């Protein structure tokens, strides 16, 4: 067996020079989906207990994946070992459960900005776990990202520092773990299988929290509008969001994906202004501009030229 097998992620795309940008587009699309999902999640938490909503969200997503890809998922699970998928699934489930807890406790914009600190944590974790070197040409971009996040979080007119911010930072750390472990797992695990296992981990965590902290699942107060939000979160944020991230990780490094995800807080700020009336100060808007420039710079400077469409062993 090869020590460093080629990723098994394959996309049904045509060859061509424009193909290089497809994995980048996957993360931009994921960020837009999450950017809209953050404020509607916060609005839904005013009606339903957070863990009950999360349980419904992840159970719907898991059922959808099993109905659509059941045979492929089962084959993927049989071929993969526990070591391949356990860490990325645990981190992904924990990341989004803690993220949604944070949304209940503080402003949606603040959660998205602090969650983006995974951009800084990802290369550090990759260095600590896999001795993966950090390219010097990316260091100025990382420093500008920190400045942009400081302007958004510290000077952007957002909420103070409380439990919501603590859970946001924990979510950032777990998301960084999901990226670096997921990058390696995709060498051996089909992306749809990994997405399903990550969704299942999220569902189990949410259910345990609902039973232990909310004394059970309570969805009786959900209106048709709330159910529409839950379905959006389940199918577009969970199923599509996880799949887009795993597809991109087949061709981009975890560091690049983490930095590109800085586009998410900008989208969250945009949708939160429209849906929740949350506003940024001038400093906060300047920070958002810096983050957008950093995302653009990383996209142009990246030495990852996209997938290889030769037959994988």
């Amino acid at each position: 067996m090869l020590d460093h097998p080629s990723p098994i992620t394959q996309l049904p795309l045509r060859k061509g020079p424009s193909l290089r940008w497809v994995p980048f587009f996957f993360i931009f699309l994921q960020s837009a989906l999450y950017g809209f999902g953050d404020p509607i999640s916060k609005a839904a938490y005013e009606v339903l207990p957070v863990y009950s909503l999360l349980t419904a969200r992840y159970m719907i997503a898991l059922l959808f994946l099993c109905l659509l890809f059941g045979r492929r998922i089962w084959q993927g699970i049989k071929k993969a070992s526990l070591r391949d998928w356990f860490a990325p699934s645990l981190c992904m489930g924990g990341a989004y459960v803690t993220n949604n807890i944070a949304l209940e406790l503080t402003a949606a914009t603040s959660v998205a900005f602090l969650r983006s600190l995974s951009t800084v944590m990802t290369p550090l974790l990759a260095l600590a776990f896999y001795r993966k070197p950090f390219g010097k040409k990316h260091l100025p971009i990382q420093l500008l990202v920190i400045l942009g996040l400081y302007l958004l979080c510290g000077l952007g007119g957002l909420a103070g520092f409380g439990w919501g911010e603590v859970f946001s930072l924990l979510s950032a750390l777990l998301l960084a773990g999901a990226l670096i472990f997921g990058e390696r797992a995709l060498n051996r695990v089909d992306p749809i299988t990994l997405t399903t296992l990550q969704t299942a981990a999220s569902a189990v965590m949410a259910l345990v929290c609902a039973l232990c902290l909310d004394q059970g699942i309570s969805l009786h107060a959900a209106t048709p509008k709330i159910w529409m939000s839950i379905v959006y979160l389940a199918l577009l944020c969970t199923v599509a969001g996880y799949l887009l991230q795993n597809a991109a990780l087949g061709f981009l490094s975890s560091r690049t994906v983490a930095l590109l995800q800085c586009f998410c807080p900008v989208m969250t700020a945009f949708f939160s202004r429209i849906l929740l009336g949350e506003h940024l100060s001038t400093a906060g808007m300047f920070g958002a501009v810096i983050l957008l420039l950093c995302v653009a710079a990383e996209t142009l400077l990246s030495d990852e030229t996209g997938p290889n469409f030769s037959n994988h062993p």
Side-chain angles (χ1 to χ4, degrees):
M1 181 177 292
L2 296 175
D3 291 335
H4 300 286
S6 299
I8 66 172
T9 309
Q10 296 186 20
L11 300 178
L13 301 170
R14 297 179 180 178
K15 296 182 180 179
S18 62
L19 187 59
R20 175 182 184 271
W21 305 106
V22 173
F24 295 89
F25 173 75
F26 286 166
I27 300 303
F28 295 147
L29 178 57
Q30 180 202 40
S31 297
L33 293 173
Y34 286 172
F36 185 73
D38 281 343
I40 67 172
S41 294
K42 186 167 180 62
Y45 293 149
E46 296 178 359
V47 179
L48 294 179
V50 58
Y51 304 117
S52 296
L53 189 150
L54 288 177
T55 301
R57 166 185 173 174
Y58 291 123
M59 287 298 185
I60 291 172
L62 183 60
L63 179 63
F64 178 83
L65 284 165
C66 290
L67 289 176
L68 207 59
F69 305 108
R71 179 174 296 180
R72 178 172 176 175
I73 293 166
W74 178 243
Q75 293 298 324
I77 292 174
K78 288 196 297 183
K79 292 178 182 178
S81 69
L82 180 66
R83 183 180 62 181
D84 293 332
W85 56 263
F86 182 75
S89 298
L90 192 66
C91 287
M92 182 73 90
Y96 288 106
V97 168
T98 53
N99 173 77
N100 283 276
I101 294 172
L103 281 173
E104 187 189 29
L105 299 174
T106 191
T109 313
S110 184
V111 172
F113 294 154
L114 290 174
R115 184 180 61 210
S116 293
L117 284 174
S118 62
T119 302
V120 180
M121 298 174 184
T122 298
L124 296 177
L125 286 180
L127 178 63
F129 280 94
Y130 300 125
R131 299 292 188 265
K132 189 172 183 179
F134 182 74
K136 293 182 180 180
K137 71 177 182 179
H138 301 284
L139 183 59
I141 298 177
Q142 289 290 98
L143 294 175
L144 283 174
V145 165
I146 296 173
L147 173 62
L149 290 171
Y150 171 73
L151 290 173
L152 286 167
C153 300
L155 301 177
L158 302 178
F161 196 89
W163 281 110
E165 285 67 33
V166 171
F167 277 105
S168 298
L169 289 174
L170 179 58
S171 175
L173 180 62
L174 290 169
L175 181 56
L179 289 174
I180 65 164
F181 297 134
E183 180 184 6
R184 175 155 297 200
L186 287 164
N187 288 328
R188 300 177 180 86
V189 184
D190 176 77
I192 292 177
T193 301
L194 183 59
T195 294
T196 304
L197 291 168
Q198 290 172 327
T199 302
S202 302
V204 169
M205 291 181 188
L207 179 60
V208 169
C209 289
L211 295 177
C212 295
L213 301 177
D214 285 345
Q215 289 77 49
I217 299 174
S218 176
L219 297 171
H220 64 274
T223 63
K225 183 178 179 180
I226 296 297
W227 277 112
M228 289 177 61
S229 297
I230 294 174
V231 171
Y232 173 89
L233 295 169
L235 300 186
L236 295 180
C237 290
T238 300
V239 175
Y242 286 14
L243 278 173
L244 288 167
Q245 178 171 298
N246 287 328
L249 279 173
F251 308 110
L252 302 176
S253 70
S254 55
R255 172 192 53 75
T256 298
V257 170
L259 198 147
L260 294 176
Q261 286 176 336
C262 284
F263 186 58
C264 180
V266 179
M267 297 304 298
T268 298
F270 173 75
F271 287 118
S272 294
R273 180 183 179 91
I274 295 174
L275 300 176
L276 302 178
E278 295 181 2
H279 296 279
L280 291 176
S281 67
T282 302
M285 289 186 284
F286 185 62
V289 171
I290 291 177
L291 285 180
L292 287 176
L293 292 175
C294 288
V295 169
E298 177 66 19
T299 303
L300 295 174
L301 288 177
S302 176
D303 53 6
E304 296 156 300
T305 57
N308 180 357
F309 279 81
S310 61
N311 291 330
H312 296 301

